[in-house]
Amino acid sequence: MASESSFDVVSKLDRQEVDNAVNQTAKEISQRYDFRGVDAAVELSGDTITMRANSAERVLAILDVLQSKLFRRGVSLKALDLGDKEPRLSGKVYAMVCPLKEGLSQEVAKKITKTIRDEGPKGVKATIQGDEVRVSSKSRDDLQAVIALLKGLDVDAALQFVNYR
């Protein structure tokens, strides 16, 4: 095997699944007894999910429902940027805005390449290419070991491994 094998480490979202989870959450809070007559809402606009209700506890309950729906649809909860996880009061309505995170930030990409360099098998190269990391090696077994290493790594992004060749 003289040719190099490689794969890409990316952080991408399935927008349709996120949209479905938000719609399911909106349907559930419209039907639940504890949300009757409290003007609770959840909506997806662009890259942010906004949750509104008349109390902070209800906003956190909406967040809990949303997280369960996202998890059931296979979307990583690391894709939500919760910030300080405290609903903000604007007027008479509490609101929480959660931006969606997609793509690897420079800090996360540097952490991944450093981990591969320090703990990975010898002969494996990792390069940052925009918002993804390309990992290459002559040995496919080494690439499998790197994937196993990265699955155990605690980073602030949902990692996927694509273009394995």
Side-chain angles (χ1 to χ4, degrees), residues 7-71:
F7 68 90
D8 295 331
V9 181
V10 298
S11 179
K12 298 219 184 296
L13 281 176
D14 187 349
R15 295 282 180 182
Q16 186 62 49
E17 292 298 334
V18 173
D19 188 42
N20 290 342
V22 170
N23 290 338
Q24 285 180 345
T25 302
K27 184 175 182 180
E28 182 170 326
I29 64 173
S30 72
Q31 294 175 348
R32 274 181 41 175
Y33 179 74
D34 55 338
F35 285 108
R36 295 276 159 124
V38 296
D39 196 29
V42 60
E43 61 187 30
L44 173 67
S45 60
D47 286 342
T48 59
I49 298 174
T50 306
M51 295 162 276
R52 284 189 215 89
N54 64 349
S55 73
E57 294 80 23
R58 288 205 172 99
V59 172
L60 293 175
I62 293 171
L63 176 64
D64 186 47
V65 172
L66 175 67
Q67 287 177 330
S68 71
K69 299 296 181 186
L70 286 170
F71 183 77

Side-chain angles (χ1 to χ4, degrees), residues 92-160:
K92 296 180 180 177
V93 177
Y94 285 85
M96 179 183 264
V97 177
C98 297
L100 296 172
K101 293 185 287 187
E102 193 167 25
L104 297 176
S105 67
Q106 284 296 321
E107 297 86 35
V108 171
K110 287 178 183 177
K111 183 175 181 179
I112 289 171
T113 56
K114 184 178 182 332
T115 302
I116 292 171
R117 209 173 33 247
D118 295 345
E119 301 174 26
K122 300 295 179 218
V124 176
K125 294 182 295 227
T127 57
I128 300 173
Q129 298 179 338
D131 63 347
E132 59 185 45
V133 176
R134 168 80 40 98
V135 181
S136 58
S137 173
K138 290 189 185 285
S139 169
R140 286 180 169 244
D141 292 338
D142 288 348
L143 292 180
Q144 292 289 340
V146 169
I147 289 175
L149 174 71
L150 292 179
K151 282 184 179 178
L153 186 65
D154 183 33
V155 293
D156 193 28
L159 300 180
Q160 291 95 29

